[in-house]
Amino acid sequence: METINPALFESKVKRLDIIREDTIDTFVSGNKFRKLTYNLQKAKATGHTSLLTFGGAFSNHIAAVAAAGNRLRLNTIGVIRGEELAELQRNPTLKYAEEHGMQLHFVSREAYKQKEAPEFISRLKDTFGDFYLLPEGGTNDLAVKGCEEILGERTHEYDYICTSAGTGGTMAGLVRASERHQQVIGFSALKGAFQVSEIKKYTDKTNFTLLDTYCFGGYGKIDVGLVRFINDFKKQTQIPLDPIYTGKMMYGICDLAQNGFFEADSKILAIHTGGLQGIKGMNEKLSRKNIPQIE
C-alpha cells in the first residue's frame, strides 16, 4: 500500500492510496496472480497436466499463464486471436510465452468469437487432448474468489475502491468483498460497459459504477496525452503504470478528482492490477508511429 499526495493532481479528496498488486510477482502479478491461484490448485488437484486459455497478442493473461505453467511444470496452450499473427515476428508478450513453454495456436478473429462454444472446445480437445480450461482473461468463479482477497480489514476505511476493468472478473471480486458504505468504480480498458453483465453473474450488489470515459478509444489504444501522464506519474510517485489498464485508470481517477466527482474529504483506494509486461510491446508500437515512449 502506498499513499499518493492528492495535491499533486489538484484534488480535494482527503486521501488517495494504491495497493501495489503488481509487486506480488514479476509476471504472475496483480489480478492475474489472484485469478490463477485457486484455478491452478484445482487443476493440480484434478490431475490435469495441461492448461489451455485464450488471449490477444499483448495479453497479460497469456504471459501469466505461461509463467505459472512453467513454474508448476504444466503444459500450456494459448489460443491467440488473429491467425495472421502466426506469420509475423513475435512481439515481446508472445515471445515470452513461447520461451516459457507455451504452445501458441493462432485462429482467425471470426473463429475466436466461438471460444465459449462447446463445439469449438471439443475441436480443441481433439487437437490437444485433455486440458484444464481457463477462459479469456481468466474470469470464472475461482478467479472472482481470488480477487475478493485483494480487500480485507486494511481497506474498510475507504469510501471508493477503483480498478481497471477488462473482462470484469477483478471488479466482480472487489464488489463482492466491498463494504456497504463503499462505491466500486471501474475504468474500462475497452469501449462500452459490457462487463456489467459479467459482474452481475457473480454478485447481487449494486454499489458499483463502470466507466468507459477513459478507454482512449478502445483496448490497446493510447495517445501522447496518456503517455505523458504515465511518465509524469512515475516521476512524481515512483510508481510505474501500464498503458492498457492501470494508466487509464489512474488518469481517470485524477481527472474525476479534479472535477469534483468524489465527495470532498473522501478516501480513495486504487488497485494496481499489474500488466507492466505490456510496456515493452507498446513502446515498440509507439516507436513505429514516432510517438514518445513510456519511460
Side-chain angles (χ1 to χ4, degrees), residues 18 51 54 58 86 147 176 236 255:
I18 184 167
L51 308 172
F54 306 87
F58 296 93
C147 289
R176 281 208 321 207
Q236 292 172 323
D255 186 66

Side-chain angles (χ1 to χ4, degrees), residues 69-217:
N70 180 266
R71 196 170 295 170
L72 296 175
R73 297 183 179 179
L74 294 170
N75 301 317
T76 55
I77 303 117
V79 180
I80 308 300
R81 180 179 62 247
E83 60 186 350
E84 74 280 2
L85 299 174
E87 305 303 321
L88 300 177
Q89 182 178 357
R90 300 289 189 258
N91 66 39
T93 299
L94 297 183
K95 183 178 179 181
Y96 175 87
E98 283 190 319
E99 289 174 345
H100 285 74
M102 177 173 277
Q103 182 178 352
L104 302 182
H105 179 64
F106 297 89
V107 299
S108 70
R109 294 170 191 277
E110 193 62 33
Y112 191 84
K113 294 177 183 178
Q114 306 303 312
K115 61 185 178 295
E116 296 178 6
E119 299 83 3
F120 187 68
I121 301 301
S122 179
R123 289 196 297 272
L124 289 172
K125 287 188 176 180
D126 289 340
T127 301
F128 298 107
D130 189 33
F131 51 74
Y132 184 90
L133 179 65
L134 291 164
E136 182 182 40
T139 293
N140 58 17
D141 287 326
L142 292 175
V144 173
K145 176 184 176 182
C147 289
E148 285 186 69
E149 297 176 359
I150 296 173
L151 302 182
E153 290 186 10
R154 62 177 179 160
T155 63
H156 291 175
E157 65 179 301
Y158 295 94
D159 304 296
Y160 298 94
I161 308 294
C162 297
T163 184
S164 56
T167 57
T170 301
M171 189 169 175
L174 294 173
V175 172
R176 281 208 321 207
S178 64
E179 299 294 320
R180 185 174 299 177
H181 70 277
Q182 295 176 325
Q183 281 291 316
V184 180
I185 312 296
F187 295 84
S188 179
L190 307 86
K191 280 186 177 180
F194 71 91
Q195 301 98 326
V196 170
S197 60
E198 187 71 13
I199 294 166
K200 288 181 177 179
K201 291 179 183 178
Y202 299 103
T203 179
D204 294 327
K205 290 183 178 180
T206 59
N207 60 324
F208 68 90
T209 301
L210 183 63
L211 306 171
D212 72 347
T213 315
Y214 303 98
C215 72
F216 285 80

